[in-house]
Amino acid sequence: MTEDPIVLSIDVGGSHVKIRTSVGDEERRVESGAAMTAVQMVEAVKSLAEGWSYDVASIGYPGPVADNRPLKDPMHLGAGWAGHNFAKGFGKPAKVVNDALMQAIGSYEGGRMLFLGLGTGLGTAMIIENVCHAMEVGHLPYKNGKTFEDHVGEPALEKRGKKKWRKAVFAVTERLRAALLPGYIVIGGGNVEHLPDLPPNCLRGDNTRAFTGGFRIWKDPSLRV
């Protein structure tokens, strides 16, 4: 592998799988959905990336990860993800991280950062002085017998409407700030677009930062992932 590898960054989502390389190729995407298996994702990405040259791969996976492999199958995709060996599938070195962490890495500007990803659920990650931590804070109990994710995930937005959902986002953000003491918070994910204003000391994220995070995993030696 070269000292400056070309990275294929793969953002796996419940509706689409999106890819870009670190040499400036435009984003390509393919539909995913509830039936897509890990093997099907690999084959779809290899077909999608036809004509591109890359040395290594980064994969943002919508679930917990350990030792470069998913710990369990995702909620919104098919079966066969847990324990899957992506390096073998792609025939290239591969690093797999939680999808919220990959976007967090792409958004990181130093110090102590909390990342909140507003999507189908609530993705959470922290980076503390370059040490990267994926978390599952969204599944912790919050109030009224429901979790943080239940209050700010997409189903809550659709059921309760934007006004009540925004109020919940502000309340959840403040609760997590008080508990985790970040220096700053980045709010990303697809539903951040429904927030015209952000809570205090928060920065607006962007889903394209997931690609940047995938590149930095391989290219930024200061990060501990």
Side-chain angles (χ1 to χ4, degrees):
M1 186 173 66
T2 64
E3 291 185 2
D4 187 23
I6 299 174
V7 183
L8 176 66
S9 194
I10 305 166
D11 185 13
V12 180
S15 58
H16 293 87
V17 176
K18 296 174 284 187
I19 66 171
R20 277 186 61 191
T21 71
S22 56
V23 292
D25 293 306
E26 292 186 1
E27 176 187 315
R28 295 178 182 177
R29 62 173 59 196
V30 64
E31 290 187 2
S32 53
M36 179 176 269
T37 66
V39 171
Q40 289 171 341
M41 187 279 283
V42 171
E43 293 307 310
V45 167
K46 288 196 296 189
S47 176
L48 200 62
E50 187 173 349
W52 286 357
S53 175
Y54 57 95
D55 303 304
V56 297
S58 295
I59 302 167
Y61 173 75
V65 173
D67 299 322
N68 277 334
R69 301 187 186 189
L71 285 177
K72 60 181 183 180
D73 289 346
M75 292 181 60
H76 305 290
L77 295 169
W81 295 78
H84 189 79
N85 186 338
F86 290 98
K88 182 177 180 180
F90 283 103
K92 309 273 187 181
K95 294 184 179 181
V96 186
V97 298
N98 173 263
D99 59 345
L101 181 59
M102 195 159 87
Q103 191 174 151
I105 292 169
S107 307
Y108 183 58
E109 297 180 359
R112 186 181 179 98
M113 184 195 79
L114 170 64
F115 176 83
L116 303 177
L118 300 174
T120 304
L122 174 63
T124 54
M126 279 198 82
I127 304 179
I128 303 173
E129 302 301 338
N130 292 346
V131 180
C132 306
H133 301 269
M135 302 191 297
E136 295 291 331
V137 172
H139 301 305
L140 294 176
Y142 176 40
K143 62 181 181 180
N144 300 327
K146 296 184 178 181
T147 66
F148 288 106
E149 184 169 281
D150 291 333
H151 284 268
V152 301
E154 194 163 289
L157 171 61
E158 294 173 351
K159 182 178 180 180
R160 304 182 69 204
K162 289 182 180 180
K163 185 176 180 180
K164 290 183 177 179
W165 177 82
R166 288 167 181 159
K167 185 177 180 180
V169 170
F170 272 64
V172 165
T173 300
E174 188 53 42
R175 180 67 61 90
L176 295 179
R177 182 201 310 281
L180 300 172
L181 301 175
Y184 61 102
I185 299 172
V186 173
I187 301 180
N191 285 332
V192 71
E193 67 182 26
H194 298 301
L195 292 176
D197 301 303
L198 297 179
N201 200 28
C202 291
L203 302 174
R204 189 176 299 275
D206 186 312
N207 278 352
T208 61
R209 290 285 185 173
F211 295 127
T212 306
F215 306 151
R216 291 184 71 182
I217 287 170
W218 287 97
K219 292 176 175 288
D220 189 342
S222 72
L223 294 174
R224 294 177 59 191
V225 182

Tab-separated table of all heavy atoms in Angstrom, residues 12 19 23-24 73 84 86 95-96 112 154 210-211 216 222:
chain	number	residue	atom	x	y	z
A	12	VAL	N	-23.087	3.704	4.225
A	12	VAL	CA	-24.188	2.749	4.116
A	12	VAL	C	-25.409	3.291	4.857
A	12	VAL	O	-25.341	3.580	6.055
A	12	VAL	CB	-23.789	1.386	4.707
A	12	VAL	CG1	-24.964	0.402	4.593
A	12	VAL	CG2	-22.559	0.830	4.000
A	19	ILE	N	-21.000	6.460	-2.359
A	19	ILE	CA	-19.550	6.285	-2.404
A	19	ILE	C	-18.867	7.483	-3.057
A	19	ILE	O	-19.454	8.168	-3.900
A	19	ILE	CB	-19.146	4.989	-3.151
A	19	ILE	CG1	-19.511	5.072	-4.644
A	19	ILE	CG2	-19.796	3.768	-2.511
A	19	ILE	CD1	-18.950	3.912	-5.473
A	23	VAL	N	-9.771	11.132	-4.349
A	23	VAL	CA	-9.134	11.897	-5.421
A	23	VAL	C	-10.134	12.760	-6.172
A	23	VAL	O	-9.855	13.248	-7.268
A	23	VAL	CB	-8.365	10.982	-6.401
A	23	VAL	CG1	-7.163	10.359	-5.720
A	23	VAL	CG2	-9.285	9.908	-6.981
A	24	GLY	N	-11.309	12.962	-5.574
A	24	GLY	CA	-12.233	13.946	-6.115
A	24	GLY	C	-13.286	13.434	-7.055
A	24	GLY	O	-13.976	14.229	-7.702
A	73	ASP	N	-26.727	-7.320	12.823
A	73	ASP	CA	-27.372	-6.844	11.612
A	73	ASP	C	-28.087	-5.527	11.887
A	73	ASP	O	-28.616	-5.306	12.977
A	73	ASP	CB	-28.376	-7.875	11.102
A	73	ASP	CG	-27.702	-9.106	10.527
A	73	ASP	OD1	-26.483	-9.063	10.280
A	73	ASP	OD2	-28.401	-10.129	10.332
A	84	HIS	N	-19.300	-9.823	9.117
A	84	HIS	CA	-18.875	-9.922	7.718
A	84	HIS	C	-17.475	-9.342	7.514
A	84	HIS	O	-17.133	-8.286	8.051
A	84	HIS	CB	-19.859	-9.186	6.813
A	84	HIS	CG	-19.616	-9.420	5.350
A	84	HIS	ND1	-20.025	-10.559	4.706
A	84	HIS	CD2	-18.973	-8.678	4.422
A	84	HIS	CE1	-19.677	-10.494	3.437
A	84	HIS	NE2	-19.020	-9.365	3.232
A	86	PHE	N	-15.332	-7.469	5.262
A	86	PHE	CA	-15.411	-6.605	4.089
A	86	PHE	C	-14.085	-6.542	3.343
A	86	PHE	O	-14.066	-6.366	2.120
A	86	PHE	CB	-15.878	-5.212	4.484
A	86	PHE	CG	-17.325	-5.172	4.895
A	86	PHE	CD1	-17.680	-5.196	6.234
A	86	PHE	CD2	-18.320	-5.146	3.937
A	86	PHE	CE1	-19.013	-5.168	6.615
A	86	PHE	CE2	-19.663	-5.131	4.307
A	86	PHE	CZ	-20.006	-5.138	5.650
A	95	LYS	N	-11.533	-0.566	6.585
A	95	LYS	CA	-11.816	-0.170	7.961
A	95	LYS	C	-13.303	0.135	8.066
A	95	LYS	O	-13.847	0.889	7.264
A	95	LYS	CB	-10.978	1.046	8.353
A	95	LYS	CG	-9.480	0.752	8.414
A	95	LYS	CD	-8.682	1.961	8.908
A	95	LYS	CE	-7.195	1.634	8.979
A	95	LYS	NZ	-6.384	2.781	9.480
A	96	VAL	N	-13.943	-0.477	9.063
A	96	VAL	CA	-15.382	-0.323	9.262
A	96	VAL	C	-15.612	0.402	10.578
A	96	VAL	O	-15.071	-0.003	11.615
A	96	VAL	CB	-16.092	-1.694	9.283
A	96	VAL	CG1	-17.607	-1.505	9.346
A	96	VAL	CG2	-15.705	-2.527	8.072
A	112	ARG	N	-12.788	18.620	22.283
A	112	ARG	CA	-13.752	17.649	22.814
A	112	ARG	C	-15.093	17.871	22.121
A	112	ARG	O	-15.814	18.820	22.431
A	112	ARG	CB	-13.870	17.848	24.332
A	112	ARG	CG	-14.719	16.835	25.059
A	112	ARG	CD	-14.776	17.169	26.554
A	112	ARG	NE	-15.596	16.217	27.265
A	112	ARG	CZ	-15.140	15.178	27.940
A	112	ARG	NH1	-13.826	14.970	28.003
A	112	ARG	NH2	-15.951	14.363	28.561
A	154	GLU	N	-36.682	10.198	13.255
A	154	GLU	CA	-37.598	10.565	12.167
A	154	GLU	C	-39.056	10.222	12.453
A	154	GLU	O	-39.947	11.018	12.114
A	154	GLU	CB	-37.136	9.910	10.873
A	154	GLU	CG	-37.806	10.480	9.637
A	154	GLU	CD	-37.048	10.127	8.378
A	154	GLU	OE1	-35.949	10.665	8.172
A	154	GLU	OE2	-37.569	9.296	7.620
A	210	ALA	N	-19.317	12.609	5.938
A	210	ALA	CA	-19.055	11.185	6.146
A	210	ALA	C	-17.947	10.718	5.202
A	210	ALA	O	-17.074	9.928	5.589
A	210	ALA	CB	-20.325	10.372	5.918
A	211	PHE	N	-17.959	11.207	3.962
A	211	PHE	CA	-16.890	10.850	3.026
A	211	PHE	C	-15.540	11.353	3.544
A	211	PHE	O	-14.544	10.630	3.530
A	211	PHE	CB	-17.162	11.437	1.647
A	211	PHE	CG	-18.377	10.888	0.963
A	211	PHE	CD1	-19.346	11.741	0.468
A	211	PHE	CD2	-18.552	9.523	0.797
A	211	PHE	CE1	-20.469	11.237	-0.170
A	211	PHE	CE2	-19.666	9.012	0.170
A	211	PHE	CZ	-20.638	9.876	-0.325
A	216	ARG	N	-10.187	10.516	6.226
A	216	ARG	CA	-9.312	10.851	7.355
A	216	ARG	C	-8.926	9.609	8.167
A	216	ARG	O	-7.851	9.571	8.774
A	216	ARG	CB	-9.994	11.870	8.275
A	216	ARG	CG	-10.136	13.251	7.662
A	216	ARG	CD	-10.732	14.237	8.643
A	216	ARG	NE	-9.800	14.583	9.705
A	216	ARG	CZ	-10.090	15.394	10.722
A	216	ARG	NH1	-11.300	15.939	10.814
A	216	ARG	NH2	-9.188	15.664	11.634
A	222	SER	N	-2.999	11.359	13.359
A	222	SER	CA	-3.237	11.880	14.713
A	222	SER	C	-4.495	11.298	15.341
A	222	SER	O	-4.676	11.354	16.555
A	222	SER	CB	-3.338	13.413	14.673
A	222	SER	OG	-4.540	13.841	14.074
